[in-house]
Amino acid sequence: MNLEDLKGIGTKTSKLLNKLNIFTLNDLIEYYPYRFNILERTNLVDNEEVVIDGIVESIPNVFYFNKRMNRMTLRINTNNKIINISIFNRAFLKPNIKVGNYITVIGKYDMKHNTITASDIKLFRLPNNPIIEPIYHVVKGITSNQLNKIILNNIELYNSEELIPDNLIDKYRLLNKKDSISVIHSPKDKNSLNRALNYLKYEEVFLFMLKINYLKNKRTDILGIKRNINKEDVDKFIDTLPFKLTIDQNKCIDNILNDLNSNNRMNRLLQGDVGSGKTICAVIALYINYLSGYQGVLMAPTEILSIQHYNNITKLFKDTNIKVEILTGKLKVSEKKEIYKKLLNKEIDILIGTHALFSNDVVYSNLGLVITDEQHRFGVNQRSSLKDKGINPDILYMSATPIPRTYAITLYGDMDISSIHTMPSGRKEVITLLKSEKELKDILDIMLQELKNKHQVYVVAPLIEDEEGTSDNENVIELKEKIDKAFGKYFKSGILHGKMSKEDKDSIMDKFKNNEINILISTTVIEVGVDVENATTIVIWDSYRFGLSQLHQLRGRVGRNNLQSYCVLVSNKETERLNILTTTNDGFKVSEEDFKLRGSGDLFGTRQSGDMQFKIANIKRDFNILLRAKEDTQQLLDSKLYVNSNLYKFIENSIDIS
Ligand code: ADP
Ligand code: MG
């Protein structure tokens, strides 16, 4: 059903809803509030926020400091106790506050002066049940209240499908789905709200863990490729590298060699900060796989990254006979066909590319190893369809978004994990500075200093352009104007963002790599793996819009060689949170803090990507629910009771069953 066919939604509202990732009726109804305002009578406690109603005893008295500033005072009688009320800048309420009427006051109580300094006054008596108001994340142009009305106007059309088995509904005394959805958008009391929240959280993590456990079961059912490669043969190649491997890199390589030599299928997550040297581990894995006679692929989320990997890897393998090719969407049809042919004839040993690597036309002769870079960028579906291209290829995922161990074990319960904690030596730590927008001069000075030293600069903004001219946030288009004003005479700038064509993107990236462009102004498309060693500074506008892990990832664009690099976070808000980044460069610590502050919501940066998005559960607060769901789903899968249920359809639709 089209959004515009729904009650109360025209073209304008529909566009606004799209911005919230709401495109269908289901998206709308499953757009949950992120918190609730609760208005409920409290006791009068000294120095605490109280909510009290009472009868107005005195005509309000208003004192005007100036035109805008005023203070109103009055007395109310609550339970035969007279209390003074004082409230700022609400003189407009005075005509509605009548002696003898009930009002409700929200504010801080000062026992000594028997006064509530109110933040709000409502012109009604508190009902016996609390008033609960759902609050939604919104964008400019629509209020939380309006969104709630739209949802309630259309909620009857929503067809809720119950996926949780009855025995689990009983076990946890959960509401059913239909009621939970209805309660969450119009809660009447705390008890039912809690039950609705419990249901929805449980459902969310249940379905998530079901997928994970399903994949895990599937893996242990399958035997992998057994190889027989000696470490000495691998060491011969390692000796040709231009640097010595770090201890952690060596450990990871040992893990990988064990996996590849074993009977079991490898399913390993290799995590480590940007620049920690994951790629070389992947390259060595590809080398081992090559020695054992199999083809390998390395898949990257973007074309830019694939090309980078291709260039790196061909360099590292230049003294070997290994045949490396690259396959991206950009190739001509004839070029693609040539690659397909070579693949089948085993004239290619290693193929690098984007998800073009697993389009239907690609057939491998004997695929033995699949490596994906920044694995969270790929959905479960894509992953398994790639897996299914080989017989039982081994799988290695690389991620620069480190996850604290406890969470990783649960969420990546179907994988083994190797971590790189230390950076290659000789690397200087990136210096991170937090600046307010007022400190523009400092920001420009840092940029200028680096530009003068012939280094390059990234500038990141949260938006591409301000279509409606309503946003306070910086956007790429306007930033370019500002920057050209400051530096245009001497330095060249360029723009990169997701809405540009591939050709334009590549051409800009090439120019930046060749230092024909000194300043690259971009959205977060540069977040993943872009590698320009001469770039030593990254300035991130409106940093508060990003999660810590995402900022950390962006920061990883600089500090990629032994030059001193800088990361400037520009923000007028949330400075305490952002400050964490000025104190540590350790991605594991950053992600730990991110977890503490926000739960998983932002772990993988942008909200539209990743398998690990929870809408309502919070991985930290609701970790116990997750653990329970982990057990429940495993039991369910073991019992095979799901095979005839809606759940089966769910699994079938969300994962390739083959
Ligand atoms: P990641 O993929 O983890 O972000 P890379 O593998 O791209 O990091 O490594 C970043 C840079 O560090 C590359 O230029 C790489 O050649 C270099 N590098 C990797 N390992 C080492 C090492 N042990 N010593 C020195 N430099 C290294
Ligand atoms: Mg990498």
Side-chain angles (χ1 to χ4, degrees):
M1 200 166 190
N2 255 335
L3 277 186
E4 288 182 32
D5 299 334
L6 297 176
K7 257 188 253 171
I9 305 182
T11 318
K12 193 168 154 246
T13 311
S14 158
K15 276 212 183 109
L16 290 169
L17 293 177
N18 289 166
K19 283 192 185 167
L20 298 168
N21 277 329
I22 298 175
F23 297 95
T24 64
L25 172 70
N26 276 17
D27 294 345
L28 177 71
I29 308 300
E30 291 168 13
Y31 193 83
Y32 304 133
Y34 73 99
R35 66 179 183 86
F36 298 86
N37 265 347
I38 299 181
L39 200 60
E40 181 181 31
R41 190 178 288 111
T42 64
N43 292 328
L44 270 181
V45 182
D46 185 27
N47 218 9
E48 275 190 13
E49 279 287 313
V50 299
V51 179
I52 295 289
D53 58 355
I55 299 168
V56 178
E57 278 279 319
S58 67
I59 299 173
N61 186 12
V62 178
F63 177 81
Y64 286 92
F65 301 98
N66 55 40
K67 253 192 196 157
R68 287 211 203 116
M69 303 276 287
N70 56 69
R71 187 176 74 191
M72 180 162 66
T73 53
L74 65 143
R75 291 192 308 277
I76 62 168
N77 178 339
T78 177
N79 272 336
N80 293 325
K81 180 177 164 69
I82 306 288
I83 299 172
N84 303 308
I85 310 296
S86 159
I87 187 165
F88 287 94
N89 304 330
R90 297 289 168 90
F92 60 88
L93 283 176
K94 179 174 164 162
N96 299 317
I97 300 180
K98 304 234 162 72
V99 174
N101 282 1
Y102 267 101
I103 60 167
T104 294
V105 178
I106 301 137
K108 206 172 202 178
Y109 181 58
D110 172 357
M111 177 124 59
K112 192 168 147 216
H113 300 98
N114 188 33
T115 297
I116 296 176
T117 304
S119 55
D120 199 8
I121 287 183
K122 311 259 183 208
L123 299 170
F124 52 74
R125 180 179 192 175
L126 281 174
N128 282 335
N129 283 331
I131 301 171
I132 307 177
E133 186 191 6
I135 310 289
Y136 303 82
H137 282 299
V138 287
V139 284
K140 263 192 187 148
I142 187 165
T143 66
S144 179
N145 216 334
Q146 286 165 337
L147 181 57
N148 181 251
K149 289 222 171 79
I150 294 172
I151 292 172
L152 293 180
N153 270 332
N154 294 291
I155 203 163
E156 283 304 317
L157 297 171
Y158 177 76
N159 188 2
S160 56
E161 187 184 16
E162 190 71 65
L163 289 172
I164 310 291
D166 289 345
N167 67 318
L168 291 171
I169 297 260
D170 290 347
K171 179 173 167 192
Y172 298 117
R173 278 182 270 135
L174 297 170
L175 289 180
N176 63 35
K177 174 143 189 186
K178 191 165 195 302
D179 292 344
S180 302
I181 291 272
S182 141
V183 166
I184 193 127
H185 293 300
S186 61
K188 297 281 181 283
D189 60 84
K190 276 200 218 165
N191 184 34
S192 62
L193 175 59
N194 278 335
R195 293 191 64 200
L197 283 170
N198 282 344
Y199 176 90
L200 294 171
K201 283 176 183 176
Y202 183 78
E203 183 199 44
E204 189 166 40
V205 294
F206 176 88
L207 297 178
F208 179 82
M209 288 314 305
L210 188 71
K211 275 200 257 183
I212 295 268
N213 278 335
Y214 182 84
L215 286 172
K216 180 177 158 194
N217 288 5
K218 204 175 148 192
R219 169 162 81 108
T220 42
D221 287 349
I222 296 170
L223 282 184
I225 301 167
K226 186 160 169 44
R227 298 175 179 76
N228 208 341
I229 301 299
N230 288 325
K231 184 73 202 302
E232 290 80 61
D233 293 329
V234 183
D235 283 339
K236 272 184 214 147
F237 172 67
I238 292 177
D239 288 341
T240 69
L241 296 176
F243 43 73
K244 218 170 146 284
L245 295 178
T246 63
I247 293 171
D248 283 350
Q249 281 174 323
N250 273 316
K251 268 191 212 152
C252 290
I253 289 162
D254 286 345
N255 291 154
I256 290 169
L257 181 64
N258 274 338
D259 286 353
L260 292 179
N261 276 341
S262 95
N263 221 344
N264 288 332
R265 189 177 189 179
M266 175 164 78
N267 191 39
R268 184 168 289 279
L269 171 69
L270 173 52
Q271 56 171 358
D273 253 328
V274 173
S276 61
K278 295 183 294 297
T279 311
I280 197 67
C281 300
V283 169
I284 291 163
L286 287 166
Y287 184 74
I288 298 167
N289 182 57
Y290 161 80
L291 287 184
S292 55
Y294 287 92
Q295 289 175 316
V297 300
L298 173 57
M299 178 162 71
T302 65
E303 204 143 318
I304 298 175
L305 257 180
S306 317
I307 296 169
Q308 242 163 49
H309 278 314
Y310 176 75
N311 292 338
N312 277 339
I313 288 175
T314 39
K315 230 182 271 163
L316 291 168
F317 284 150
K318 69 178 185 315
D319 296 329
T320 70
N321 296 322
I322 305 175
K323 290 169 296 259
V324 185
E325 286 282 356
I326 180 164
L327 176 68
T328 66
K330 199 167 80 170
L331 293 185
K332 290 195 206 104
V333 176
S334 58
E335 291 171 323
K336 282 186 192 162
K337 284 205 170 132
E338 184 63 23
I339 287 190
Y340 301 154
K341 206 177 84 196
K342 283 187 181 170
L343 260 186
L344 259 183
N345 294 340
K346 261 218 103 190
E347 289 164 50
I348 293 177
D349 300 309
I350 294 173
L351 187 60
I352 297 166
T354 57
H355 39 271
L357 289 178
F358 57 97
S359 70
N360 282 336
D361 302 324
V362 186
V363 183
Y364 296 89
S365 128
N366 65 343
L367 183 60
L369 175 64
V370 171
I371 303 181
T372 75
D373 197 4
E374 309 299 347
Q375 62 86 21
H376 62 272
R377 297 272 147 174
F378 294 90
V380 169
N381 300 345
Q382 286 164 306
R383 278 194 239 151
S384 49
S385 79
L386 182 59
K387 278 187 214 171
D388 296 337
K389 284 210 178 282
I391 308 153
N392 288 312
D394 288 293
I395 314 276
L396 180 68
Y397 302 106
M398 294 194 283
S399 173
T401 313
I403 308 172
R405 187 153 184 80
T406 38
Y407 299 109
I409 289 169
T410 310
L411 298 169
Y412 292 107
D414 63 325
M415 296 184 204
D416 300 309
I417 298 173
S418 300
S419 307
I420 306 184
H421 289 271
T422 48
M423 287 286 179
S425 57
R427 202 63 65 69
K428 287 203 182 68
E429 284 216 338
V430 177
I431 294 175
T432 302
L433 303 161
L434 182 57
K435 296 279 172 195
S436 72
E437 280 169 35
K438 273 200 213 120
E439 296 169 286
L440 184 64
K441 189 173 174 305
D442 292 1
I443 301 166
L444 294 178
D445 279 348
I446 296 167
M447 290 173 67
L448 183 63
Q449 165 201 311
E450 290 305 295
L451 288 166
K452 272 187 178 162
N453 286 333
K454 302 218 157 46
H455 300 150
Q456 287 157 279
V457 176
Y458 295 103
V459 177
V460 178
L463 306 175
I464 297 174
E465 59 185 325
D466 191 359
E467 280 167 32
E468 279 128 36
T470 51
S471 177
D472 297 335
N473 290 131
E474 277 303 342
N475 65 75
V476 171
I477 309 280
E478 278 173 29
L479 254 184
K480 177 164 165 53
E481 282 168 25
K482 285 185 199 168
I483 283 179
D484 285 346
K485 218 175 189 179
F487 299 117
K489 250 193 197 163
Y490 310 100
F491 302 104
K492 211 167 163 326
S493 73
I495 285 184
L496 184 76
H497 60 71
K499 282 192 184 159
M500 286 162 53
S501 72
K502 265 196 183 133
E503 291 74 40
D504 290 349
K505 271 195 242 170
D506 289 347
S507 135
I508 290 283
M509 263 333 283
D510 279 345
K511 283 187 185 150
F512 190 62
K513 257 182 228 160
N514 300 333
N515 207 353
E516 291 160 41
I517 287 175
N518 313 100
I519 307 167
L520 185 66
I521 303 158
S522 156
T523 54
T524 52
V525 288
I526 58 149
E527 181 184 345
V528 178
V530 170
D531 194 2
V532 178
E533 286 200 0
N534 189 47
T536 56
T537 302
I538 183 163
V539 180
I540 307 168
W541 288 87
D542 296 316
S543 299
Y544 75 92
R545 297 254 319 212
F546 305 106
L548 293 182
S549 297
Q550 193 180 10
L551 290 167
H552 179 70
Q553 190 114 345
L554 285 166
R555 169 165 71 179
R557 295 308 113 225
V558 297
R560 296 188 74 84
N561 57 18
N562 48 14
L563 299 170
Q564 179 60 59
S565 289
Y566 302 89
C567 169
V568 185
L569 305 173
V570 187
S571 176
N572 290 344
K573 294 185 203 171
E574 298 188 29
T575 48
E576 199 178 331
R577 179 173 71 91
L578 296 173
N579 227 345
I580 292 167
L581 289 170
T582 67
T583 62
T584 182
N585 270 298
D586 178 341
F588 286 91
K589 273 198 196 131
V590 171
S591 85
E592 200 93 50
E593 291 297 329
D594 216 10
F595 262 99
K596 274 191 211 151
L597 289 168
R598 303 186 153 207
S600 75
D602 208 42
L603 186 65
F604 288 148
T606 51
R607 282 164 204 282
Q608 59 272 25
S609 68
D611 303 331
M612 225 193 72
Q613 296 297 305
F614 290 133
K615 281 201 283 194
I616 195 154
N618 171 306
I619 187 165
K620 183 164 171 62
R621 264 200 325 262
D622 303 319
F623 196 62
N624 285 329
I625 307 183
L626 194 78
L627 289 179
R628 261 184 259 141
K630 187 181 180 193
E631 269 178 36
D632 295 338
T633 49
Q634 191 53 58
Q635 273 176 18
L636 183 72
L637 290 170
D638 290 345
S639 75
K640 305 259 188 276
L641 280 176
Y642 66 99
V643 173
N644 289 317
S645 68
N646 286 347
L647 266 185
Y648 188 70
K649 259 186 278 160
F650 168 81
I651 300 180
E652 210 174 30
N653 288 336
S654 53
I655 313 166
D656 260 295
I657 298 181
S658 48

